[in-house]
Amino acid sequence: MLSKIYSSAILGIDAYLLEIEVDIHPGLPYFATVGLPDGAVKESKDRVKAAIKNMGYNFPGTRITVNLAPADVKKEGSAFDLPIAAGILAANNQILDGHMLKEYILLGELSLDGRVKPVRGALPIAAACRDNHMAGIILPRDNAPEAAIVSDVRVIGVETLSQVVELLNGGIVLEPAAVDINAMLSALVDLSIDFSDVKGQEHAKRAIEVAAAGGHNLLMVGAPGTGKTMLAKRIPTILPAMTFEESIETTKVHSVAGMLGTRRPLVVNRPFRSPHHTISDAGLIGGGPIPRPGEVSLSHNGVLFLDELPEFKKNALEVLRQPLEDGRVTISRALTSITYPSRFMLVAAMNPCLCGYYTDPKHECTCTPLQIQRYMAKISGPLLDRIDIHIEVPPLSYKELADRCTSETSAVIQKRVDAARRIQHQRFAGSKIHCNAQMSSRQIRNHCQVDAASHRLLEQAIDKLGLSARAYSRILKVARTITDLEGTSDIRIEHVSEAIQYRSLDRQFRF
Ligand SMILES: [Zn+2]
């Protein structure tokens, strides 16, 4: 007897349809899976057998062959347990009415006692289900909310194998899962942190606003305890609200990484990821034996915060270059390569020296000049090249700490950022880029013309202050963003001089 079940597997953040054929034949007990199954798929034999028996069904003691097609794509993970089990039960007539099997995708890992356990990637799989004109998807109940975000697909959450058998045999009816996307989009916005929590640091806050407005990467240099992390965490609260498309794209990444819970099926706040400096390359960039998105992709459409930047392995910082440049990472595998999106705003923080107090007037720095030089040299030039804005975050004075005035809220700052972004959308309409930070050198020439006074100032900065040539184009881009925040069109000397201030590393450390 032969049966055919539909399932789906993930490649990158997209999914493709899979056919699972099960053939049961008289003969000595034998159970083989073919079609390039990986380790976890092979192990599924034992789980499937135990689950079928423990749920009180008959496991055929004959030859069983399971074929996963298409054969030329590597299948990974344990999500095929449920479709394989259903295929066996259908092939030996324990599932009788097969009409649902022709219209539904099955997905789920089985535990030995027959419970259906959650899997990764339910959202892109539901999307593949719709794109392939399937009626619906039967999957673990915990994955139902994220899958139900996709419209026009019947999503049926299940808890046990026997529930699936009953459902397919018409013995029970299960209602499709439903989610209210509009309610999710509006209700889940995180209001627990706000820029008004941060006292003082007006200069840093202004620089952050400029960075957010133009999509510029940012580096904060300051002694321990000056609030660099506190500032960084609040950056997502002033970035423009996520569009629905951005939300879906980011949710797909988190779905593939298996990070969505039933309570948070849709990512509606811009992600803020802050990996520790001991993170592996695979953890940062993505990959691993069963490929998963790394931190650069988990922060897609949000902020990637690297605290203690010089402590990261040099190699880790080198591998950041591709995602920073292209907005995506490609991971090569034996048979194929996988691409994950990774468009994030990079925010980094570091101490000014080994002891941390080089720029602090109240503490004495105990580092030698050579030590300071070595410490700064740890961050690679090419990475620094992709950071438009660097600022010093000074220790707060007593007056600032004791200040009772309330600062601006994130909502107020976000309004200005939104307005500046709208100007950029118009400027770059029809091109591939969205914000000033992404301008090419040609676009800089077109969009960042400066007057004679600004030219003289830039000349002085480069000749006398020792600003590097590579800093030049960054200054022009940032100056453009400053005019966008102001709502003016001409770049004037005050805009250029503010932008020069945001090249603190060039001035301070001259390396
Ligand atoms: Zn020091």
Side-chain angles (χ1 to χ4, degrees), residues 198-207 396 400 403 407-408:
V198 186
K199 286 187 169 178
Q201 301 296 13
E202 295 310 323
H203 174 67
K205 282 185 193 167
R206 166 71 184 172
L396 286 182
E400 282 171 302
D403 188 5
S407 331
E408 275 186 319

Side-chain angles (χ1 to χ4, degrees), residues 45-301:
K45 282 191 279 190
D46 301 323
R47 290 192 299 267
V48 166
K49 190 173 175 179
I52 288 178
K53 285 186 168 172
N54 288 329
M55 281 267 131
Y57 299 106
N58 170 27
F59 187 84
T62 51
R63 289 179 71 87
I64 304 171
T65 312
V66 176
N67 179 34
L68 293 91
D72 56 347
V73 195
K74 193 169 167 69
K75 293 99 188 161
E76 282 144 338
S78 45
F80 312 122
D81 292 0
L82 181 62
I84 290 174
I88 292 171
L89 294 173
N92 78 350
N93 294 325
Q94 293 174 91
I95 293 173
L96 292 168
D97 181 6
H99 83 276
M100 272 183 96
L101 288 180
K102 293 189 188 76
E103 296 161 3
Y104 279 75
I105 282 178
L106 263 69
L107 191 74
E109 181 180 331
L110 287 173
S111 67
L112 300 181
D113 60 2
R115 275 177 299 120
V116 181
K117 299 205 294 192
V119 294
R120 298 190 291 131
L123 172 64
I125 287 171
C129 181
R130 180 191 57 194
D131 297 343
N132 284 283
H133 311 291
M134 302 290 288
I137 178 168
I138 298 170
L139 84 181
R141 207 183 63 165
D142 285 353
N143 293 124
E146 59 176 285
I149 290 168
V150 178
S151 53
D152 303 325
V153 172
R154 291 171 69 85
V155 173
I156 298 179
V158 291
E159 285 173 59
T160 61
L161 175 62
S162 64
Q163 223 177 10
V164 177
V165 176
E166 293 276 300
L167 175 75
L168 294 171
N169 277 334
I172 55 168
V173 174
L174 295 173
E175 283 303 312
V179 290
D180 183 347
I181 291 171
N182 288 331
M184 267 186 212
L185 284 171
S186 53
L188 282 171
V189 172
D190 185 1
L191 298 172
S192 62
I193 55 170
D194 195 280
F195 255 98
S196 57
D197 307 334
V198 186
K199 286 187 169 178
Q201 301 296 13
E202 295 310 323
H203 174 67
K205 282 185 193 167
R206 166 71 184 172
I208 287 170
E209 181 177 332
V210 173
H216 303 284
N217 296 323
L218 171 79
L219 172 64
M220 293 183 275
V221 185
T226 49
K228 292 171 300 212
T229 305
M230 195 175 178
L231 285 162
K233 272 191 184 155
R234 284 159 179 75
I235 293 176
T237 66
I238 61 163
L239 288 169
M242 268 179 140
T243 63
F244 183 64
E245 286 72 29
E246 285 179 322
S247 189
I248 290 286
E249 240 187 12
T250 305
T251 306
K252 271 188 175 180
V253 178
H254 287 239
S255 171
V256 168
M259 289 175 57
L260 298 170
T262 43
R263 286 188 309 160
R264 201 189 66 118
L266 185 65
V267 179
V268 292
N269 294 303
R270 294 197 180 271
F272 176 84
R273 304 288 307 175
S274 87
H276 190 252
H277 58 74
T278 52
I279 191 168
S280 67
D281 286 2
L284 189 59
I285 296 303
I290 295 176
R292 276 165 201 257
E295 292 290 337
V296 294
S297 300
L298 293 171
S299 50
H300 182 55
N301 289 323

Side-chain angles (χ1 to χ4, degrees), residues 423 427 480 482-490 492 495:
I423 295 173
R427 176 176 304 136
R480 180 37 89 204
I482 295 167
T483 63
D484 290 343
L485 273 171
E486 211 180 74
T488 52
S489 58
D490 293 339
R492 290 190 311 272
H495 309 127

Side-chain angles (χ1 to χ4, degrees), residues 352-359 364-368 371-372:
C353 66
L354 215 52
C355 79
Y357 296 112
Y358 180 53
T359 52
E364 201 177 342
C365 168
T366 55
C367 308
T368 65
Q371 277 176 321
I372 294 174

